[in-house]
Amino acid sequence: MSHDRIAVVDFGGQYAHLIATKVRRLGVLAEIRQPEDPIEAFLPYKGIIISGSPSLSSHGEDQDYNKAIYDLDVPILGLCFGHQEIAKHYGGEVIHGGREWGPADLHIPEEHPLFRGLGPVEQVWMSHYDSVVSVGPGFRELGYTLTGGKPHRFAAIGSDSLRRYGFQFHAEVDDTVHGTEMLRNFVLEICGCRPSWSMERYLEEAVERIRQQVGNESVFLLVSGGVDSTVAAVLLGRALGPGRLHLLHIDNGLMRKNESAQVLARFRELGLGEHLHFVDAGATFLKALEGVVEPEEKRRIIGDTFVEVFQATAEELGIAHHLLGQGTIYPDTIETGGTRRADVIKTHHNRVPIIEEMIRQGKVVEPLAELYKVEVRELGERLGIPQDLLWRHPFPGPGLGVRLLCNRGEPDCTGFEESEPALARLAGELGLQALLLPIRSVGVKADLRAYEHPVLLTGEAPWEELLRAATLITKEVPGVNRCIWNLTGHHPARATPLAAYVTPERLDLLREADAIVTEVLRTHGLYDEIWQCPTVLVPLALGPEGGELVVVRPITSERAMTARPYPMPKAALEEIRRRVLALPGVGGVALDITSKPPATIEWE
Ligand code: XMP
């Protein structure tokens, strides 16, 4: 059946995704559209929501979007930046000023369908520099906020005849206490959408769609063993029966300790062992990565080798003519959609050219392509997949390859003359010792890839102080995107880069360190609290004894678009420090204390 749908115009990654998730929770299928999409792309929708953005409406930023959406005869709701754009488009004024930050009380002077069922004062959440100071003809103020007794006008605006509305606050975040009700009022009442989308429905329809697409053919699915490929496998098995499903697991040599064996065992337990194929391609990957140190180059090689290996293996097994199954999820499709806004922060390898060509030929089955991670997990639960499989930490496709930093043994001190004085001054103020490290890691600043230096901080300070120091340093010191906190106690005079490449020995060392960290998280009851915890091997010697630096990065996150460092309890940190330092080849241990942005979750 066809579902009523809402388009969410994406002016800024995480906001748009959050809106879409919340609308889906109301039972209405929300889909992300790009601001420059042609008007035809907006025709199937019963309403449009324009997201917030890091851009400033008052400065005319991000103006080259498709304004023909305003000519469509469907309701439109703008949130934050979207609110300001609607005000401006219909003759109102937006200025740079009137900034509000955090919770605010929204006063709703008169009843309106958007606020049906809510009180006269509602707590909302603000995060804006620009404000609407006047509205055009036909528009009126539906709500204002009071901060320190001073009104901030036009916190909510609307024109019922045009069916255009705007909220200065973020109705999509949980801190807007009744934000979901406001979105429900817009989507169900004002747009008139029928809620028909649920996971149960999705499951029935997905099974039907798979059967139709596959017909009498078979599917072969690449399975890393992560949540997405596991759910995709069980779903395809449900639709086609295990006899028509071939699973291929490739050990790329960059897996965690004992991982491939466990993955194979799990698929057998899930009743999918009938055509379960395995290839140990570790040697092929290692050979291809020999002597390579540059992160994007490593990613490209891992991606290309993966395609070569799976094609050759499929030929050998005689399954190459089957349709190719992939566990691609919704954000993967969006993020590789080639939008003008998306800078290549990291190359993900689920949409390489050869696979795109197969998609065009209709030879690819992607049964999860419309779902978010939380929805994939919910679907997995409906399919009866055990909880511990569904709640495993995400693991990137290129595996430990992006957690094993490589170096030619040459210091990279680009921009140190500019960074060092600023860092010395700040560190003094913060009461911490700071060392700029002569290597770089990937980060993201203002939505752009930032390949910059980490800073090692040494000293005792409460957790909140450490986080504040990391935020200040990455903000104020040019060329720095990451801070790590030294767990070994003494402040090193220098950090010396070691010549280090992708080798079996280094991979084994990283595997051991990673296994220790995972075990500590489990035994201390932290595994489920933490969203992901990369363990990274950094070829830097902090003292005369040599040995590499191991960095642990526990974070919390909802969608991986943003992340916060997790406050690790002392006992768990101490156990990690002690056990990892005892590994031969390790000379230092540190904790990554940077949010995303400015540092990405992975180091490469
Ligand atoms: P970053 O490092 O960009 O990572 O903050 C965000 C999330 O994506 C995962 N990640 C990947 N996953 N293929 C994947 O399947 C990749 O190439 C890849 N790179 C990063 C990362 O582990 C985190 O969860």
Side-chain angles (χ1 to χ4, degrees):
M1 77 174 271
S2 72
H3 300 279
D4 285 348
R5 285 187 281 170
I6 291 286
V8 178
V9 188
D10 177 11
F11 275 100
Q14 69 270 37
Y15 306 105
H17 285 284
L18 203 49
I19 300 166
T21 313
K22 291 268 159 118
V23 173
R24 285 169 172 222
R25 295 263 145 204
L26 299 171
V28 174
L29 184 54
E31 293 178 328
I32 303 286
R33 296 267 67 106
Q34 298 307 317
E36 56 276 357
D37 278 350
I39 198 64
E40 293 71 33
F42 290 93
L43 297 182
Y45 299 98
K46 289 197 79 169
I48 297 174
I49 301 179
I50 306 178
S51 82
S53 163
S55 303
L56 291 175
S57 178
S58 62
H59 288 23
E61 290 170 1
D62 244 337
Q63 286 309 298
D64 49 349
Y65 64 95
N66 191 349
K67 297 211 172 65
I69 54 172
Y70 296 120
D71 300 331
L72 295 175
D73 186 22
V74 293
I76 304 181
L77 171 68
L79 302 177
C80 198
F81 177 83
H83 159 80
Q84 296 154 5
E85 284 301 307
I86 287 181
K88 244 172 38 184
H89 184 81
Y90 292 98
E93 193 190 352
V94 175
I95 60 149
H96 188 58
R99 163 185 169 164
E100 290 170 287
W101 217 247
D105 285 336
L106 176 75
H107 293 255
I108 305 164
E110 53 179 300
E111 292 201 349
H112 189 275
L114 270 178
F115 300 119
R116 186 156 294 151
L118 307 184
V121 181
E122 286 289 336
Q123 187 193 307
V124 298
W125 196 77
M126 292 286 192
S127 169
H128 65 112
Y129 289 104
D130 284 354
S131 309
V132 174
V133 291
S134 72
V135 290
F139 275 79
R140 64 199 163 99
E141 179 180 77
L142 302 177
Y144 60 90
T145 56
L146 279 180
T147 317
K150 210 173 121 260
H152 282 256
R153 304 281 314 274
F154 305 112
I157 59 169
S159 160
D160 293 323
S161 54
L162 292 166
R163 297 196 293 170
R164 301 288 178 263
Y165 303 95
F167 294 159
Q168 177 56 70
F169 52 90
H170 287 273
E172 71 275 26
V173 305
D174 292 335
D175 304 77
T176 294
V177 177
H178 291 122
T180 302
E181 284 75 3
M182 298 176 195
L183 291 175
R184 174 186 291 123
N185 286 337
F186 176 72
V187 168
L188 303 188
E189 304 298 327
I190 294 180
C191 300
C193 292
R194 279 167 300 132
S196 59
W197 198 83
S198 66
M199 202 37 81
E200 209 171 297
R201 248 315 185 353
Y202 184 86
L203 175 53
E204 286 165 22
E205 289 174 7
V207 164
E208 202 37 52
R209 265 201 307 268
I210 293 167
R211 286 182 183 150
Q212 274 186 7
Q213 188 189 347
V214 175
N216 295 324
E217 298 192 51
S218 295
V219 170
F220 95 87
L221 176 74
L222 297 160
V223 285
S224 66
V227 177
D228 304 341
S229 61
T230 305
V231 175
V234 176
L235 177 58
L236 285 164
R238 168 82 61 101
L240 305 173
R244 283 205 287 149
L245 179 62
H246 290 260
L247 303 182
L248 173 59
H249 176 67
I250 298 172
D251 182 352
N252 56 9
L254 307 168
M255 308 289 284
R256 293 176 151 176
K257 192 173 172 184
N258 300 330
E259 188 149 25
S260 284
Q262 286 169 9
V263 169
L264 296 174
R266 272 193 229 114
F267 280 113
R268 284 191 200 101
E269 282 163 24
L270 288 167
L272 296 170
E274 193 171 330
H275 299 300
L276 180 59
H277 311 284
F278 169 68
V279 50
D280 179 356
T284 313
F285 280 83
L286 249 68
K287 178 122 195 42
L289 288 166
E290 226 169 59
V292 182
V293 301
E294 208 275 319
E296 275 296 293
E297 177 75 359
K298 274 162 70 183
R299 279 177 169 267
R300 191 187 56 72
I301 292 174
I302 296 169
D304 289 354
T305 310
F306 186 77
V307 173
E308 282 162 25
V309 170
F310 99 66
Q311 284 188 314
T313 312
E315 290 292 342
E316 262 168 47
L317 292 168
I319 56 174
H321 59 285
H322 295 324
L323 298 179
L324 174 67
Q326 291 209 117
T328 316
I329 68 172
Y330 192 55
D332 301 340
T333 337
I334 297 301
E335 277 155 26
T336 47
T339 76
R340 275 196 289 136
R341 277 170 182 73
D343 183 52
V344 176
I345 291 163
K346 292 173 186 183
T347 307
H348 286 227
H349 68 255
N350 57 347
R351 274 282 187 282
V352 289
I354 167 128
I355 290 181
E356 294 202 314
E357 181 51 34
M358 290 175 74
I359 292 175
R360 274 191 288 278
Q361 295 169 7
K363 293 193 144 177
V364 178
V365 190
E366 293 182 319
L368 310 180
E370 285 173 41
L371 302 184
Y372 285 104
K373 196 87 169 183
V374 285
E375 294 168 340
V376 172
R377 288 180 162 142
E378 205 183 319
L379 180 63
E381 281 180 3
R382 286 193 179 272
L383 287 163
I385 300 173
Q387 292 283 332
D388 62 319
L389 287 191
L390 294 177
W391 291 97
R392 289 190 340 133
H393 288 178
F395 189 59
L400 298 180
V402 294
R403 297 179 179 174
L404 186 84
L405 268 63
C406 297
N407 201 291
R408 297 193 199 287
E410 297 153 3
D412 175 350
C413 300
T414 337
F416 269 30
E417 4 17 276
E418 217 191 324
S419 321
E420 266 171 342
L423 179 62
R425 180 179 52 76
L426 259 183
E429 283 170 22
L430 294 162
L432 292 164
Q433 288 172 294
L435 181 69
L436 200 53
L437 300 178
I439 50 135
R440 288 193 276 174
S441 83
V442 179
V444 50
K445 285 183 168 174
D447 286 334
L448 298 172
R449 180 183 200 262
Y451 190 45
E452 298 182 338
H453 299 281
V455 162
L456 176 76
L457 294 174
T458 308
E460 282 304 319
W463 178 248
E464 290 306 324
E465 284 297 301
L466 285 173
L467 292 195
R468 197 173 74 84
T471 307
L472 261 179
I473 289 171
T474 50
K475 197 166 146 223
E476 310 241 324
V477 182
V480 168
N481 62 0
R482 200 181 279 278
C483 285
I484 59 179
W485 184 46
N486 191 353
L487 297 182
T488 45
H490 47 267
H491 179 63
R494 72 185 63 81
T496 315
L498 306 165
Y501 302 92
V502 181
T503 59
E505 296 74 24
R506 289 189 77 222
L507 278 166
D508 280 342
L509 177 56
L510 177 54
R511 263 190 273 271
E512 283 307 321
D514 175 71
I516 291 172
V517 172
T518 308
E519 192 189 312
V520 173
L521 296 187
R522 286 197 190 279
T523 52
H524 287 253
L526 301 169
Y527 190 86
D528 292 335
E529 297 251 310
I530 288 173
W531 199 80
Q532 193 178 18
C533 186
T535 298
V536 187
L537 190 61
V538 183
L540 276 178
L542 299 181
E545 314 79 35
E548 298 197 47
L549 172 66
V550 170
V551 180
V552 184
R553 177 151 175 66
I555 52 119
T556 56
S557 177
E558 281 92 40
R559 271 155 273 270
M561 311 287 286
T562 58
R564 292 166 302 282
Y566 179 82
M568 289 279 279
K570 273 224 163 67
L573 267 190
E574 172 49 27
E575 189 179 338
I576 289 175
R577 187 196 69 85
R578 184 177 49 77
R579 289 178 60 189
V580 171
L581 262 185
L583 293 172
V586 174
V589 184
L591 182 72
D592 193 328
I593 52 171
T594 334
S595 300
K596 172 183 178 175
T600 44
I601 297 173
E602 306 289 350
W603 275 50
E604 291 198 328

